[in-house]
Amino acid sequence: MNARKIRDRIYWMGSVDWDRRLFDSLIPLPDGTSYNAYLIQGSDKTVLLDSVDPSMSGELMTQLKDVSQIDYIVSHHAEQDHSGAIPKVLEKYPDAKVITTPKAKGMLMDLLKIPEKSFMPVQDGDTISLGDKTLRFIYTPWVHWPETMVSFLEEDKILFSCDFFGAHIATSDLYVTDEGRVYEAAKRYFAEIMMPFRKIIGKNLEKLSSYEINMIAPSHGQIYPRPEFIIDAYRDWVLGPPRNTVVLPYVSMHGSTEQMVEHFVSALVDNGVRVEQFNLEVTDIGKLAMSLVDAATIVVGTPTILAGPHPYAAYCVFLANALKPKTKFLSVIGSYGWGGRTVDVLAKMIPNLKVEVLQPVLCKGVPSKDDYQALTDLASAISQKHKEHDFV
Ligand code: FEO
């Protein structure tokens, strides 16, 4: 794709990666992604904001073929999907200075072997003049690594946010036109890479609230011409209370745990609790992560195998512990053949979750009448807990 004009002497550059289906060899990308770089030509100086994934560096260099001078390359974030083509850019513009945080400087030297002499580290709040345009650098750690910052083009009131506010979407639309579609993609993205750092992200949102932002230009997905749409969504995901929702990831071997799940889901619904049910044999882990953003309760359904939880359930619980959702309650349901330590094993896997563990329901073999009653009671207890907290 060719460079695209956003404003006078401000251009989108980069690549739309229509085919990518996995990020970090982990995160499903059902809609592909993009790596957005931006070029700003001030009256005196020219700056390139971020670059692209190294696999797409040829496209960026083609977009730069008629750009004779770049004075600065801003690296908001050291991860290679944005920084990976900086060495190529420096080959063409060897005198360009790489502007970044001191922490990112060290990471870029380690990850990309960029020489120390190429760097110009900046402090939080520093500005550079491009002549008639001014770029301010704002430290925003943990969106998504510890070294991250954003930059604000003061005259045009554009926030260049890199991963912050991003969404994995491949599209030829430069600007957000379908907010519903972007909401889903941005929430999935938040769940997978931002949720563990929620508290710090809340502080970053607070920090940005003093800026009058007319447009947000992230480095994945589309540009937000109505920034309050994504800022409000982030406020809700980060600061809002959990919802009256149970996330129910489960796996069943011979059908007993599945029968328990079916009964339990009906009981929850009868008690006015929303349910998001995921069969771990087939589920999209990104969708499950999204549902963790605002669910008040997680209930894991697992049979006992090799004296512990099914590995799919263990994987799911490991992921939930790493993502640190704002969940308040957790329980386990499932069937076993002769015994085991399923609940103990799972309980040791969740040190990061600040949850109250509700009485698990484990049954031997096929669920009995008493087991079904225990599931009904668990659903009722969850409903009561949600009501006490006014979760809606
Ligand atoms: Fe888009 Fe954390 O890289």
Side-chain angles (χ1 to χ4, degrees):
M1 210 173 284
N2 294 327
R4 303 175 76 177
K5 186 173 177 178
I6 301 171
R7 297 258 175 91
D8 184 33
R9 291 175 288 125
I10 305 173
Y11 298 90
W12 171 91
M13 290 189 173
S15 291
V16 177
D17 198 340
W18 300 91
D19 300 331
R20 191 160 182 176
R21 287 291 173 272
L22 208 55
F23 206 85
D24 292 344
S25 298
L26 171 69
I27 299 166
L29 304 181
D31 299 315
T33 191
S34 70
Y35 318 105
N36 306 333
Y38 298 94
L39 187 80
I40 306 171
Q41 295 175 310
S43 56
D44 291 342
K45 303 284 187 189
T46 295
V47 59
L48 179 70
L49 303 173
D50 291 315
S51 69
V52 293
D53 190 88
S55 61
M56 301 286 194
S57 61
E59 192 169 357
L60 177 64
M61 297 315 294
T62 301
Q63 292 160 345
L64 289 170
K65 72 178 187 312
D66 296 325
V67 177
S68 58
Q69 173 81 11
I70 285 182
D71 301 283
Y72 304 114
I73 303 163
V74 173
S75 179
H76 293 114
H77 175 24
E79 193 166 13
Q80 292 92 326
D81 51 326
H82 310 292
S83 66
I86 289 177
K88 284 270 181 220
V89 177
L90 280 171
E91 277 177 25
K92 181 171 180 188
Y93 309 98
D95 295 329
K97 289 293 174 201
V98 178
I99 294 178
T100 192
T101 62
K103 203 174 272 183
K105 172 187 160 187
M107 295 168 86
L108 290 168
M109 289 172 67
D110 290 336
L111 293 171
L112 298 171
K113 307 303 176 204
I114 297 173
E116 185 161 21
K117 67 179 173 54
S118 294
F119 286 95
M120 186 174 124
V122 287
Q123 296 300 313
D124 189 22
D126 279 359
T127 59
I128 56 163
S129 172
L130 308 177
D132 59 347
K133 293 182 188 293
T134 313
L135 205 53
R136 180 176 296 276
F137 305 105
I138 307 163
Y139 281 18
T140 49
W142 293 105
V143 293
H144 115 249
W145 285 358
E147 85 297 1
T148 45
M149 68 173 184
V150 298
S151 49
F152 185 60
L153 189 61
E154 297 197 330
E155 292 75 9
D156 296 86
K157 298 183 170 37
I158 302 175
L159 184 77
F160 296 93
S161 62
C162 201
D163 270 355
F164 203 8
F165 305 121
H168 287 306
I169 294 182
T171 170
S172 61
D173 285 344
L174 186 55
Y175 298 96
V176 172
T177 51
D178 182 344
E179 288 187 346
R181 181 185 179 207
V182 174
Y183 181 92
E184 286 282 308
K187 188 174 184 182
R188 169 187 283 262
Y189 178 89
F190 169 86
E192 290 162 339
I193 70 166
M194 303 271 173
M195 185 154 63
F197 317 114
R198 222 170 46 245
K199 286 191 178 142
I200 299 174
I201 292 173
K203 288 182 184 158
N204 290 331
L205 288 171
E206 183 61 34
K207 194 171 183 182
L208 292 178
S209 65
S210 60
Y211 291 85
E212 187 188 342
I213 300 168
N214 283 348
M215 188 182 279
I216 294 178
S219 290
H220 293 293
Q222 296 163 286
I223 295 171
Y224 299 90
R226 200 175 74 81
E228 58 272 27
F229 152 63
I230 193 66
I231 291 172
D232 288 349
Y234 262 68
R235 279 193 190 289
D236 181 36
W237 300 335
V238 169
L239 303 167
R243 300 261 154 76
N244 175 27
T245 301
V246 168
V247 172
L248 179 44
Y250 78 96
V251 57
S252 188
M253 287 162 56
H254 298 292
S256 296
T257 299
E258 187 156 38
Q259 287 174 39
M260 296 175 77
V261 165
E262 284 170 10
H263 179 89
F264 182 55
V265 168
S266 291
L268 285 167
V269 172
D270 290 347
N271 276 279
V273 178
R274 196 179 301 115
V275 182
E276 302 215 26
Q277 177 181 328
F278 296 95
N279 180 343
L280 293 169
E281 284 182 46
V282 295
T283 201
D284 166 352
I285 284 295
K287 196 91 178 157
L288 171 60
M290 266 173 78
S291 73
L292 292 174
V293 170
D294 35 32
T297 299
I298 302 171
V299 177
V300 179
T302 179
T304 294
I305 178 171
L306 304 173
H310 191 286
Y312 286 178
Y315 171 63
C316 165
V317 170
F318 177 87
L319 190 66
N321 182 63
L323 294 176
K324 300 183 194 169
K326 52 190 168 193
T327 308
K328 298 291 182 204
F329 307 102
L330 186 141
S331 193
V332 180
I333 63 174
S335 168
Y336 60 92
W338 62 91
R341 297 175 49 251
T342 292
V343 172
D344 289 346
V345 171
L346 291 177
K348 287 189 176 120
M349 291 178 66
I350 53 168
N352 293 339
L353 299 185
K354 308 297 175 219
V355 292
E356 177 184 343
V357 177
L358 304 177
Q359 182 63 45
V361 180
L362 296 189
C363 76
K364 193 167 185 184
V366 176
S368 66
K369 193 174 163 197
D370 287 348
D371 297 322
Y372 283 126
Q373 184 57 50
L375 290 166
T376 302
D377 293 346
L378 177 61
S380 173
I382 290 169
S383 171
Q384 191 56 37
K385 294 277 184 191
H386 289 193
K387 281 179 185 149
E388 284 166 14
H389 287 79
D390 293 325
F391 297 147
V392 292

